Amino acid sequence: MFFQRLVNPGLIICLLLATAGAHAPSVAVDAPDFQLTVIANESGSLVRDSAARLVQTAREDGLDIRPELASRPGERQAGAGSPELLIMPLRSLATQVPALEILELPFLYADTDNIHRAFDKDLGEVLREQVRRQGWELLALWDEGMHMLSGNRRYDRAINLTGMEFILLRADPVAEKQFTALDAWTRKAQPQTREQLLRECMIGSRSASLQRLWYERLDRVHQDLSLSAHRYEGWVVITPSADWGRRNDKDKAALLQALSSTTQWQRAEAQRREADALIQLKTSGMRIHTLDAEQRAAFLARLPAWETLLSDTLEHSLRQKLVAAAATGVVERPNRQ
């Protein structure tokens, strides 16, 4: 289906349960060092190209990573082994590890650089521990970009969201809390084609990365694009902890080196593709609106405390710890009367 790139979290859970348990290492002569599954069905997408880059980089260091491209969790190629590496949307893993929602909070980070500074320091350590408690090792965080607001009204002004409807293509509790706080509505839709989505968006608005907005060709039904950069969209690279514990130090070091090199390339490539998508959307005739500091502060003023936007399943102390660890990327709130 056209819009299964951000896959059903329920199916993701089935895949996690199926692959997280211990499994005996393969004894086949031609077995790869790592079996990789990439959950994304759009050819030419950034995540697929990033996975290909990882395979190439690892091969140069003598490490064999065999990729499997799955459009849906649980979809297996004939003869494929158990996935020892998984690349999936951040939002999908957050259904199992709600602490990851700290990376998705609206207007908490000004840009992806803020995300990187926080994740590469204290926040990353806290999140890795939370992921490990669910039986996984979080090896890398890959970018798609920051969410922008697209519609037939300029959304550089917080007041303009009042009463407006935003279309969600996945279960997304963070987005629901965000838009409720901004006095907007959300509606879940499951379009099977781009044309069906465009019909939905003739009335509804969207929040997504620039690459996604261009892929959806929302310029055909929307006149205004507001560069709110209000929320992060990304991907995670994970491996079962049990499998990782059985790996020898040489393979671990080689994989981590390949991931480090690929992640540097991936982050730069994401910025390039976001910039290209913005040019395409502008050239197609969309009116571009950039938020100044005062306008961004107006959005912040309408949001509740960061802790309350995180999942109710998290203990209050953990919510506070997550927000504190993310302090590198936090924008100072305006004073409230």
Side-chain angles (χ1 to χ4, degrees), residues 65 67 93 115 117 166 176 214 235 237 244-246 254 292 336:
I65 297 178
L93 187 58
I115 287 278
R117 281 195 293 270
F166 284 81
E176 292 174 1
W214 174 242
W235 300 78
V237 183
W244 188 245
R246 287 192 296 268
D292 60 28
R336 296 187 179 184

Side-chain angles (χ1 to χ4, degrees), residues 172-247:
D172 195 339
V174 173
E176 292 174 1
K177 291 179 182 179
Q178 163 195 293
F179 286 117
T180 296
L182 296 172
D183 295 327
W185 301 88
T186 58
R187 179 167 62 84
K188 180 80 178 299
Q190 295 181 319
Q192 304 302 302
T193 65
R194 180 183 283 118
E195 287 67 29
Q196 289 180 11
L197 175 64
L198 293 180
R199 285 197 291 272
E200 297 274 5
C201 291
M202 290 181 71
I203 298 176
S205 299
R206 284 281 284 138
S207 170
S209 69
L210 292 167
Q211 293 174 78
R212 189 65 190 174
L213 295 175
W214 174 242
Y215 178 79
E216 295 174 1
R217 290 307 308 269
L218 291 183
D219 58 298
R220 296 179 179 177
V221 292
H222 287 170
Q223 295 180 331
D224 296 280
L225 174 62
S226 299
L227 304 182
S228 52
H230 63 278
R231 178 181 170 181
Y232 178 73
E233 185 79 40
W235 300 78
V236 291
V237 183
I238 60 175
T239 185
S241 295
D243 182 81
W244 188 245
R246 287 192 296 268
R247 288 286 172 179

